[in-house]
Amino acid sequence: MSTISDSHIDFLEPALLETRRKLRSVVIEFLALTGLLVGVVLAVMIDLKLLKNSVSEASLTEALQAVLVLASALIFIWRAMREVEARGYLIGLATLFTCMFIRENDAYLDQVYHGFWAVPVGIAAVAGAVLIGRYKATLVEPLTSQIEERHSTFMFMGLLIVLVFSRLFGTGALWQAAMGAEYNATFKTIVQEGLELLGYALIVFGSVLSLTYCRFERRHPEANPTNGIAASI
């Protein structure tokens, strides 16, 4: 009785193998993004249905925002320590996400005094700027090369959602006009915090995706990676 051995794969056309790898990458990305989107909704639902905290500062939604942006910061700190050729660019991203993490914890830092969060943010920003200046030769070229990759697209979209869209779409004036006399500030907060969590989810997805890009590039420096999440699997 004949069996299909691993050696059979060697006879497949290279183009077919590449197509299979790309298809696997697309499927994994689709499932991962679907899971993230479902997770965002579930987090808000848990806050409203189970915890009944109306997505307050001590909510699961807020906690996940901090965890996701911290994970992104740690990813780029780790990459900056390993990738000398792109260290300036990676330190810049690590600094940005570290500052965002500190800002997300402003409710706890305000217990020192209102607005105290600006102090650690300033320290982190200055430290990051000093390091970027030290490695400025590895800032522009990696920025221009990686900005076109798929992982950067997810991160930039996430940043725009967090810093721009969530603020505008969560504006009280917008929902006052939509709800009239039935306006409830809690509803506005739920929308805004939910959008922020979505943005952070996309940022961390792009950050993880950048690791696969890095791994593929190191394994195949002569190749042009497809930049899918399964590129290095």
Side-chain angles (χ1 to χ4, degrees), residues 38-212:
V38 172
V40 169
V41 177
L42 282 178
V44 176
M45 187 70 72
I46 289 172
D47 278 325
L48 297 176
K49 288 284 191 179
L50 299 181
L51 303 180
K52 301 185 184 301
N53 56 25
S54 301
V55 195
S56 64
E57 293 288 347
S59 64
L60 175 63
T61 300
E62 289 272 5
L64 286 176
Q65 291 174 7
V67 168
L68 292 178
V69 73
L70 176 61
S72 297
L74 293 176
I75 285 173
F76 286 104
I77 290 172
W78 183 81
R79 285 191 60 191
M81 291 189 297
R82 293 174 59 89
E83 301 174 46
V84 180
E85 68 280 3
R87 184 163 289 169
Y89 165 72
L90 297 171
I91 289 174
L93 288 177
T95 301
L96 171 62
F97 295 139
T98 298
C99 290
M100 293 176 71
F101 169 72
I102 296 172
R103 181 65 179 88
E104 282 299 326
N105 289 278
D106 62 329
Y108 303 102
L109 295 172
D110 281 350
Q111 294 179 12
V112 179
Y113 63 80
H114 184 68
F116 176 72
W117 62 267
V119 175
V121 164
I123 294 173
V126 170
V130 170
L131 288 173
I132 291 172
R134 181 178 178 182
Y135 299 103
K136 60 184 178 181
T138 57
L139 173 63
V140 178
E141 194 281 328
L143 173 62
T144 55
S145 63
Q146 295 196 29
I147 200 172
E148 298 177 352
E149 306 300 336
R150 292 178 64 189
H151 65 266
S152 295
T153 301
F154 284 110
M155 288 191 296
F156 291 149
M157 288 301 298
L159 281 171
L160 287 173
I161 291 174
V162 172
L163 301 177
V164 181
F165 187 72
S166 69
R167 306 297 177 184
L168 296 177
F169 201 71
T171 301
L174 174 65
W175 293 104
Q176 286 175 1
M179 303 175 71
E182 298 180 356
Y183 170 72
N184 187 332
T186 299
F187 182 81
K188 184 266 298 185
T189 300
I190 293 170
V191 171
Q192 185 171 6
E193 296 302 329
L195 285 172
E196 283 192 26
L197 182 57
L198 171 62
Y200 284 125
L202 291 177
I203 289 172
V204 78
F205 183 81
S207 300
V208 173
L209 202 64
S210 76
L211 289 177
T212 68

Side-chain angles (χ1 to χ4, degrees), residues 2-30:
S2 61
T3 60
I4 299 176
S5 63
D6 293 338
S7 62
H8 177 72
I9 298 178
D10 298 334
F11 296 97
L12 294 175
E13 292 291 336
L16 179 58
L17 289 172
E18 180 67 11
T19 299
R20 287 185 175 182
R21 185 174 66 81
K22 289 181 178 180
L23 180 60
R24 180 181 61 179
S25 178
V26 170
V27 171
I28 293 176
E29 278 190 28
F30 178 82

